[in-house]
Amino acid sequence: MWSINVVLVDDHPAMIAGVTHELGSSPTIKLQGNAANSTELVALLEKTPCDVVVSDYSMPAGEYGDGITLFRFLGRRFPQVKLVVLTMLDNPAILGSLDDLGVRAIVSKSDAVSHLIPAIHAAYTDGKYHSPVVDAVLKLRTAQRANADKTAALSPREAEVVRLFVSGMSVNEIAERLNRSKQTISTQKTRAIEKLGLSGDTDLVRYAMEHGWVTSSQASPEP
């Protein structure tokens, strides 16, 4: 039977033991060795057949660094070796940087270690696998980026009108405060609603509250 040659690198012995036990249950995965830092990992890869590296993100000790620095190095030095990142980190920026780097198999240590088996198979076949925690974080990041893009599309004057409107001011009050006509303020508010993909004033207030433009105590009451 064919098998995927795997090397594991993590600086926590208990994690090494747990993953080793889990991978031992898969007839298609052969663990070729483990390392505690990037120095040991590179030495191991130089002499050991390996299809997939399962690596922790944070491993401070080691000649070749850790995290993105290490993963970029591995991509240059061992381009044929695939990568699965196993991490406790759930920061959207860090997980997003892995995704941007092209790391398609990421497993959170907060999820069951059994997720490593499908992740290894996905990496080996150039597929994609995110464990549940990672998937949720990256989906949230995608949604936040989309919302940021929408917000950026507003002109400064439209954004100003929206901010004042959702804080409780009427169109007439905004017009007086900004020294613009009521029609101009109404038009700018309508354009902002259209650019944000919303359907009316109620959605605008809700959107502003959900995305931190205004607190619930500041927002005008929904109709």
Side-chain angles (χ1 to χ4, degrees):
M1 177 182 290
W2 62 273
S3 61
I4 303 172
N5 294 313
V6 173
V7 165
L8 172 64
V9 54
D10 197 298
D11 57 356
H12 296 90
M15 180 58 65
I16 291 283
V19 172
T20 298
H21 179 269
E22 182 66 32
L23 297 187
S25 67
S26 173
T28 57
I29 293 175
K30 182 178 181 181
L31 186 59
Q32 294 283 14
N34 59 72
N37 55 56
S38 62
T39 304
E40 294 180 10
L41 171 63
V42 171
L44 191 59
L45 292 178
E46 293 283 6
K47 62 182 182 181
T48 305
C50 178
D51 300 308
V52 177
V53 167
V54 175
S55 177
D56 191 7
Y57 186 97
S58 300
M59 296 177 295
E63 180 182 352
Y64 303 96
D66 62 356
I68 297 296
T69 300
L70 172 61
F71 303 148
R72 283 179 174 158
F73 173 80
L74 294 177
R76 295 191 303 269
R77 184 76 166 265
F78 307 99
Q80 77 285 0
V81 175
K82 311 300 182 181
L83 178 65
V84 174
V85 174
L86 175 64
T87 179
M88 181 60 73
L89 301 174
D90 59 1
N91 183 292
I94 292 177
L95 295 181
S97 67
L98 290 174
D99 194 53
D100 294 341
L101 185 63
V103 179
R104 297 292 176 252
I106 311 173
V107 175
S108 171
K109 290 182 179 180
S110 297
D111 289 316
V113 71
S114 58
H115 285 282
L116 273 177
I117 292 176
I120 290 170
H121 284 88
Y124 181 70
T125 58
D126 292 320
K128 177 179 178 179
Y129 189 89
H130 294 153
S131 69
V133 167
V134 175
D135 188 57
V137 170
L138 290 178
K139 283 181 177 177
L140 178 60
R141 177 177 181 259
T142 299
Q144 290 173 335
R145 279 185 165 185
N147 288 324
D149 290 343
K150 287 181 180 179
T151 303
L154 299 183
S155 71
R157 290 194 170 194
E158 290 165 349
E160 184 179 32
V161 168
V162 169
R163 180 180 62 81
L164 294 174
F165 178 75
V166 299
S167 71
M169 295 180 67
S170 68
V171 169
N172 286 338
E173 290 170 333
I174 297 171
E176 183 176 351
R177 175 166 177 169
L178 300 180
N179 196 27
R180 302 175 201 164
S181 71
K182 176 182 176 181
Q183 181 60 44
T184 296
I185 298 301
S186 180
T187 298
Q188 290 170 338
K189 178 169 71 72
T190 298
R191 286 177 179 169
I193 289 172
E194 291 174 350
K195 287 182 179 180
L196 293 172
L198 305 174
S199 59
D201 292 353
T202 300
D203 283 351
L204 182 60
V205 172
R206 185 180 296 113
Y207 182 94
M209 291 172 61
E210 289 175 349
H211 295 89
W213 292 12
V214 65
T215 65
S216 58
S217 61
Q218 294 173 313
S220 56
E222 297 181 12

